[in-house]
Amino acid sequence: MRILAAMSGGVDSAVAAARAVEAGHDVVGVHLALSRAGGTLRTGSRGCCTIEDALDARRAADLLGIPFYVWDFSERFRDDVIDDFIAEYQAGRTPNPCMRCNEKIKFAALLERAIELGFDAVCTGHYATLIDGEQGLELHRASDNAKDQSYVLGVLTTEQLAHTYFPLGTTPSKAIVRAEAEDRGLTVAQKPDSHDICFIPDGDTRGWLAEKVGTATGEIVDRAGEVVGSHEGAHAFTVGQRRGLKLGVPAADGKPRFVLEVRPVSNTIVVGPKEALAIAEIAGERYSWAGAGPVDSSFACHVQIRAHSEPVAAVATVTDEGVRVVPAVPLDGVAPGQTAVLYVGTRVLGQFTIDTTVSAVPVGA
């Protein structure tokens, strides 16, 4: 196949490209410039889109003997990822920018251009596997559960899966990938993984948002509506947050309180006991299927609400209004804006963006 290898400058994408070359494919490497003013140096795991990363990707491509290009996707990234991130926080939701980047950039904008240029597939260093099932191509978890990235790929459509290539999916561990990189002479063999939001490399999401959307004083109330404090911007709070609340009125039982809800229209934060973070039901209107969708309108599955959280047994129901999921045990600290990915066994069935949640602990209980 003609393969376009997305090379971030990290060890995973470099080894994935190397394996594509070794498999006999016609491979071209590409690094995505996602910022017009990218940082010069990367600090540990901070960020993933610096000039240093681009140079690391180029060195890997040179070693592999494949053509290499840098494509400027900064405008598309700003519109589809950064602006979306800001808008979601302003709407009181907690977005996942990595999920949006996969959906809009790596497997939409990049894949579209790759197909236009005659490539058969885009190769990435994601840890996930593709299997030919009875009803077509299926997305499954990686062999290494500790590195499995199928959650952040849950947004991919059937058409996109047909043009993707994940060479690392069956690798038993990340240690094997690093050892292989060493053997191949790749200089990124021991490079740290990136864990932070790439466009907020210093990790100060609260300060970054304050610069973008400004501050506005509002009230912090308990579940009964009593004012217990104030804040300088609802965007600085997420569901489940405990620190930094600076409440002026202590709880009657003396226990700590947590953010239960963010109400952007009234610029109000609702706090309450930890028990109230337990969620008995989630629902969302925006959903997609990764391959063939469910046969029945109601079906048993497992739901995962974070990239590295444990999947929970649940029953999902699909209606004209969207997807509703009732977990077998309450979910902890779910925030609107998060992505819920549905699994059947190791297979990713699909995903939806959480719009509404129902607490397992009624007000006044």
Side-chain angles (χ1 to χ4, degrees), residues 74-361:
S74 58
E75 187 173 338
R76 182 78 178 261
F77 184 76
R78 182 199 63 209
D79 293 343
D80 290 342
V81 180
I82 298 178
D83 288 352
D84 175 80
F85 182 82
I86 295 170
E88 285 292 280
Y89 264 100
Q90 288 178 312
R93 294 187 289 265
T94 302
N96 184 326
C98 295
M99 185 79 78
R100 198 64 63 235
C101 185
N102 281 334
E103 177 187 15
K104 300 291 187 179
I105 306 300
K106 295 176 183 175
F107 296 97
L110 178 61
L111 185 55
E112 288 167 8
R113 184 176 293 185
I115 292 174
E116 288 175 357
L117 293 174
F119 288 94
D120 299 303
V122 166
C123 166
T124 74
H126 286 98
Y127 288 78
T129 56
L130 293 173
I131 296 176
D132 284 319
E134 294 181 0
Q135 296 180 319
L137 201 59
E138 298 176 354
L139 175 64
H140 285 255
R141 291 189 185 278
S143 297
D144 180 6
N145 195 55
K147 288 297 296 180
D148 174 57
Q149 292 176 299
S150 60
Y151 172 87
V152 296
L153 298 172
V155 292
L156 301 190
T157 65
T158 303
E159 178 64 22
Q160 290 169 333
L161 290 175
H163 295 283
T164 57
Y165 182 44
F166 302 129
L168 305 188
T170 57
T171 306
S173 73
K174 177 64 174 273
I176 292 175
V177 172
R178 291 196 182 279
E180 181 178 332
E182 290 275 14
D183 291 341
R184 292 181 182 277
L186 294 167
T187 59
V188 294
Q190 299 305 321
K191 187 174 180 178
D193 293 336
S194 174
H195 299 296
D196 294 288
I197 299 173
C198 66
F199 52 88
I200 311 178
D202 64 1
D204 183 13
T205 302
R206 186 171 184 167
W208 186 88
L209 283 168
E211 288 184 4
K212 301 297 181 181
V213 304
T215 59
T217 302
E219 295 178 338
I220 300 178
V221 302
D222 61 19
R223 299 184 86 194
E226 295 295 325
V227 177
V228 295
S230 63
H231 65 82
E232 295 182 352
H235 61 269
F237 298 86
T238 58
V239 171
Q241 180 177 332
R242 173 187 172 185
R243 299 185 182 280
L245 302 183
K246 300 178 182 179
L247 303 179
V249 180
D253 59 7
K255 294 182 179 180
R257 284 178 289 201
F258 298 76
V259 174
L260 304 180
E261 188 179 349
V262 178
R263 298 174 179 172
V265 175
S266 61
N267 196 29
T268 303
I269 304 299
V270 181
V271 297
K274 183 176 177 60
E275 302 80 54
L277 287 171
I279 298 299
E281 182 180 317
I282 57 177
E285 298 177 0
R286 296 165 290 173
Y287 64 91
S288 64
W289 306 119
V295 176
D296 301 318
S297 60
S298 185
F299 54 92
C301 62
H302 279 76
V303 61
Q304 188 170 327
I305 58 171
R306 298 181 186 87
H308 302 293
S309 65
E310 288 295 320
V312 176
V315 173
T317 302
V318 183
T319 68
D320 292 339
E321 285 74 39
V323 181
R324 179 172 61 88
V325 171
V326 178
V329 295
L331 302 172
D332 183 41
V334 186
Q338 286 180 237
T339 301
V341 176
L342 305 181
Y343 290 82
V344 175
T346 61
R347 180 191 170 193
V348 176
L349 187 63
Q351 60 81 37
F352 66 94
T353 301
I354 300 170
D355 294 321
T356 59
T357 62
V358 177
S359 176
V361 181

